[in-house]
């Protein structure tokens, strides 16, 4: 792994190695919040998730899997330039390609949501039939926001330049412009929370990329995010998604928009670390019976 791509200083996620040899999953962070439009601080998210991860059990009773049985690497932080988002997105794409070249399933920790388009582009190049599943409070379908095409408010619009509209599912979006919601409804991409499993079930066997903007959770349980939106979800709804994903080919994922300093209790970082644990185990587990090989 090129030292030019990743900075390996700092903490690692519980149970991770630095050496990717023999691993199934490659975890990496992107400490960037250059287009944050309300409350900054997501650049501290990856480090916070790692720091609190040791407070969790390595065993996940829902999945009946244990991180101690999973070989996964924490590759460090992507070495990103300071300033405009375009070079950052390009660096994320290059880093994701490097993780894929190692034969690892990528799991990216953000950082703001603008970084996801770089990772999605890299994964879609390997999996042309990739389906992107978005957990988010916001539609993120603006063409530009505050003069930036790669703003975190444009994350899904940029992904739609890589993937056809029919390969995106947007789960229980609850905030956006009138135009964004008209598009969500007209395209059929908006999935109500009570139809989540039914909407994803026909996609079993297809490669999936899950992007988790942590503001999908209600601010009552996750206040540490830059753009909190009341009316969100709690752990049981995420667990329902995890249960469905057990039947799917999850090939990559990201967890973004944790701003840990906005939650002095630290509970937001703990929830983000638990989401990360679930995704590590889903990405690293054996494929469901009958699923095609990755």
């Amino acid at each position: 792994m090129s030292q030019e791509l990743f900075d390996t200083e700092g903490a690692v996620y519980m149970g991770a190695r630095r050496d990717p040899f023999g691993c199934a999953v490659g975890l990496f962070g992107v400490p960037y919040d250059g287009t944050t439009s309300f409350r900054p601080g997501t650049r501290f998210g990856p480090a916070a998730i790692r720091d609190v991860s040791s407070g969790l059990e390595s065993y996940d009773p829902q999945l009946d899997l244990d991180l101690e049985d999973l070989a996964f690497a924490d590759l460090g932080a992507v070495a990103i330039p300071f300033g405009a988002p375009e070079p950052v997105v390009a660096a994320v794409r290059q880093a994701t390609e490097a993780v894929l070249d190692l034969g690892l399933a990528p799991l990216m920790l953000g950082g703001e949501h603008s970084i996801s388009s770089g990772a999605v582009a890299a994964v879609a190049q390997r999996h042309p039939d990739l389906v992107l599943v978005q957990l988010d409070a916001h539609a993120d379908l603006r063409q530009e926001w505050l003069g930036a095409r790669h703003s975190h408010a444009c994350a899904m619009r940029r992904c739609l330049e890589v993937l056809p509209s029919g390969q995106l599912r947007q789960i229980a979006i609850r905030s956006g412009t009138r135009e964004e919601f008209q598009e969500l409804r007209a395209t059929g991409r908006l999935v109500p929370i009570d139809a989540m499993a039914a909407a994803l079930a026909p996609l079993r066997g297809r490669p999936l990329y899950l992007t988790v903007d942590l503001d999908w959770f209600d601010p009552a349980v996750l206040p540490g995010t830059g753009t909190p939106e009341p009316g969100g979800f709690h752990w049981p709804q995420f667990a329902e998604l995890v249960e469905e994903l057990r039947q799917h080919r999850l090939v990559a994922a990201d967890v973004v928009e944790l701003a840990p300093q906005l939650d002095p209790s630290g509970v937001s970082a703990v929830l983000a670390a638990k989401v990360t644990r679930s995704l590590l185990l889903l990405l690293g587990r054996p494929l469901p019976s009958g699923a095609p090989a990755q």
Side-chain angles (χ1 to χ4, degrees):
M1 178 66 64
S2 170
Q3 294 302 309
E4 297 177 357
L5 289 177
F6 295 96
D7 178 357
T8 57
E9 293 295 321
V12 299
Y13 191 91
M14 168 185 57
R17 313 171 183 178
R18 281 298 194 203
D19 184 355
F21 179 77
C23 290
V25 184
L27 177 77
F28 61 95
V30 185
Y32 179 69
D33 62 358
T35 76
T36 300
S37 55
F38 185 27
R39 305 189 300 174
T42 57
R43 65 188 181 277
F44 302 115
I49 291 171
R50 292 179 170 105
D51 287 341
V52 303
S53 63
S54 59
L56 299 174
E57 299 284 358
S58 61
Y59 175 70
D60 183 330
Q62 179 184 5
L63 293 171
D64 191 24
L65 296 171
D66 199 309
L67 286 178
E68 291 184 355
D69 300 324
L70 174 65
F72 70 102
D74 186 338
L75 302 168
V78 177
I80 55 172
F82 181 79
E86 287 81 5
V88 176
V89 172
V92 167
R93 179 169 184 169
Q94 183 181 11
T96 307
E97 289 171 347
V99 173
L100 291 166
D101 286 343
L102 289 170
L104 307 182
L107 176 53
M108 179 172 66
L109 304 180
E112 59 163 77
H113 212 172
S114 65
I115 62 176
S116 294
S117 61
V120 169
V123 178
Q125 190 171 32
R126 310 294 175 100
H127 299 281
D129 58 340
L130 184 73
V131 176
L132 175 61
V133 179
Q134 176 199 12
L135 299 190
D136 205 320
H138 307 90
D140 290 354
L141 290 170
R142 287 174 163 88
Q143 287 291 352
E144 62 88 26
W145 182 241
L146 301 178
R149 292 184 72 255
H150 281 278
S151 165
H152 68 151
C154 310
M156 293 303 104
R157 180 61 64 202
R158 299 289 77 83
C159 289
L160 286 171
E161 294 174 351
V162 176
L163 294 174
S165 175
Q167 290 174 218
L168 172 63
R169 300 292 185 275
Q170 298 177 268
I171 309 294
I173 307 300
R174 62 186 187 274
S175 181
T177 64
R178 183 197 304 265
E179 292 76 17
E180 285 177 298
F181 270 90
Q182 287 173 341
E183 177 178 339
L184 284 170
R185 291 166 181 146
T187 58
R189 295 196 308 258
L190 180 61
V191 177
I193 192 68
D194 58 359
M196 181 169 55
L200 295 180
L203 302 172
R204 294 177 183 180
R206 295 275 296 275
L208 296 189
Y209 183 117
L210 177 66
T211 179
V212 182
D213 185 325
L214 291 163
D215 64 23
W216 184 79
F217 290 95
D218 193 84
V221 295
L222 199 145
T225 189
T227 49
E229 182 69 33
F233 304 101
H234 293 208
W235 187 264
Q237 287 79 40
F238 181 74
E240 289 177 22
L241 176 64
V242 168
E243 198 62 30
E244 175 60 30
L245 290 177
R246 296 177 76 166
Q247 309 302 319
H248 287 266
R249 289 179 60 208
L250 188 67
V251 298
D254 65 54
V255 180
V256 299
E257 296 286 351
L258 174 68
Q261 81 288 356
L262 297 175
D263 179 9
S265 76
V267 169
S268 297
V270 172
L271 194 155
K274 189 172 180 179
V275 168
T276 301
R277 184 187 70 181
S278 295
L279 298 182
L280 281 167
L281 292 169
L282 284 168
L283 286 164
R285 80 202 193 289
L287 284 173
S289 177
Q294 298 184 34

